[in-house]
Each structure stands twice: as structure tokens, then as C-alpha cells.
Amino acid sequence: GPGGAAKPKVYDQLTVPFASDTFGGTAGTVLETYSANWTKVSGDDGDVVKIGASSGYITTTTSIGFQAHTYNAAQAVSADYDVQGTYLIAAGGDLPPTIAGRIVSASDSSCYFVTWLGGGTWGLYRHTGGGGNTSLGTYVGDSPNGVQRTVTLQMRGSTITVLIGGVSRISVTDATYAAKGYAGVVQYFGTVADSANLRNWSASDPATGAVFTKNINVAQAINRASRF
């Protein structure tokens, strides 16, 4: 009420990475050969996710139905975590290897994932291992051709959000996969090598309590006091 303390205003929420990869391997190396941290989900389609024509990113070499890779070296503290990646997409490029979260296990590729669909569109999907993909939402209107885009898949309980350049563009409620599972990458079809690729992959836990706040009333009082 009047004269009372203003409610703190949240400006930022820190995250703590528990896994990351910049894909600094030899060109053309299959992902799980490049690093033992990565495990291809058994039963998925053939090995097509590889280090690109030069070190520092991953791409695909041929079209497949679906392939998932879990990052087994570490897991999130809980099911609430972020998976982030930077994409570089040339004109005409689509369906690069992409970020995924809550991958059920190394034998079940069910998960949530985000991908660039081409035509100015990003899509959020729910994948059911052996049972296809369900679109949960799209964002239309982006033009990343030749410009890097940082995309985050944020999972907080049943709220699944996609941030592009730090801005929330898709947010849905879906409780299908509630366990933390694994962070990772997936390949959802895809036909064009190198013209659409993923780099700077990471997965992070929210830092509990690490919230920057600012009490507006206190700031105003200090400002006023400084005038005397």
C-alpha cells in the first residue's frame, strides 16, 4: 500500500551450466565417435550427425526420419533446466541438428525439441519414440540467413518455452515428459549439409535463489536523500 515497501522486481535469473560442447573435433567425425560424452539413442536411424566441414559445429549429411543423442556425462539437478544452442543458417538451409531436452533415456528418444523449419519458421515439437512428432507451436517471422541465432529450450514443470535471442517466442503447457531425462541434440529429417548447423551447445540448471532484484522505493529514497 501507500508508503509500504514495493515488491522486488525480478530482472534476471542466473543459470548454472552442467554440460556444454563447442564441437571442436575433426571434420566429418560422427558425434558419438568425436566424444564419449554423446550416446546415440538405440533404435534410431543411422549415424548422420557429424562435425561439419570445419571444426566448431555439427551438421547432417543425409536425410533421415529421426535421430537423438543424449549427453550422458552429466544430468540436470531436476526436470527444470535449459538447453541452448547457436545456429548458423544459410539461405535455403533447413532442419539442422538441434537442441533437445528431457530425452527419456539412451534407449527411448521421446523428448521435447526445437528446430528451424525454413521459411522464417521455428518449431517446438514433442517426439514420441517410435511414434512420430507432434507440433506444440511455431514462431513465424525470423530471417536468420547468414546470421547466428541463439535459441533456448526452457523447461519449467509443464511449461515449455522457446526463447530466440533471449525473447520468448513460443510457450505451451505440456506435461507428457515430466522427468528430467537427458539434455541432447536431435536430427529431425534434414537434407542439406553445412548450410544449416548447430554450435555452442549447452545445458544449464536454474541457480536457485540467484535472482537480481531492485526495490524501487529504496532506490527512490536513496536518490532523494542524495539531494540534501
Side-chain angles (χ1 to χ4, degrees):
K7 184 178 180 180
K9 188 174 182 180
V10 176
Y11 282 86
D12 195 11
Q13 173 71 59
L14 293 179
T15 58
V16 179
F18 62 85
S20 63
D21 204 326
T22 56
F23 307 115
T26 303
T29 304
V30 171
L31 187 59
E32 61 269 25
T33 301
Y34 147 70
S35 172
N37 289 331
W38 294 100
T39 298
K40 176 180 170 291
V41 175
S42 60
D44 277 7
D45 291 337
D47 292 319
V48 297
V49 178
K50 301 179 179 181
I51 305 297
S54 60
S55 180
Y57 63 90
I58 54 175
T59 188
T60 185
T61 55
T62 187
S63 179
I64 61 165
F66 194 87
Q67 181 184 104
H69 297 262
T70 62
Y71 192 93
N72 284 350
Q75 280 185 288
V77 172
S78 74
D80 294 345
Y81 61 95
D82 300 348
V83 185
Q84 185 176 91
T86 302
Y87 298 78
L88 184 61
I89 301 166
D94 63 358
L95 299 170
T98 195
I99 55 176
R102 297 185 182 173
I103 301 173
V104 170
S105 71
S107 60
D108 184 348
S109 59
S110 300
C111 66
Y112 297 107
F113 71 96
V114 184
T115 194
W116 170 250
L117 298 169
T121 305
W122 293 90
L124 169 63
Y125 286 83
R126 181 183 68 233
H127 174 68
T128 304
N133 305 288
T134 301
S135 175
L136 298 180
T138 57
Y139 168 65
V140 181
D142 197 11
S143 300
N145 293 345
V147 178
Q148 292 191 15
R149 283 285 187 273
T150 298
V151 178
T152 305
L153 172 63
Q154 184 181 83
M155 295 159 289
R156 300 290 186 272
S158 60
T159 301
I160 314 298
T161 303
V162 177
L163 298 94
I164 301 172
V167 178
S168 176
R169 297 297 191 184
I170 306 169
S171 189
V172 301
T173 298
D174 189 280
T176 305
Y177 306 128
K180 63 184 178 181
Y182 291 90
V185 299
V186 304
Q187 181 62 50
Y188 172 49
F189 292 96
T191 56
V192 185
D194 279 3
S195 63
N197 59 67
L198 175 67
R199 55 194 66 209
N200 298 328
W201 178 94
S202 65
S204 304
D205 289 304
T208 303
V211 179
F212 293 105
T213 65
K214 179 179 177 182
N215 187 304
I216 304 302
N217 281 6
V218 172
Q220 290 172 343
I222 293 172
N223 182 54
R224 289 169 183 167
S226 69
R227 299 177 185 174
F228 296 96

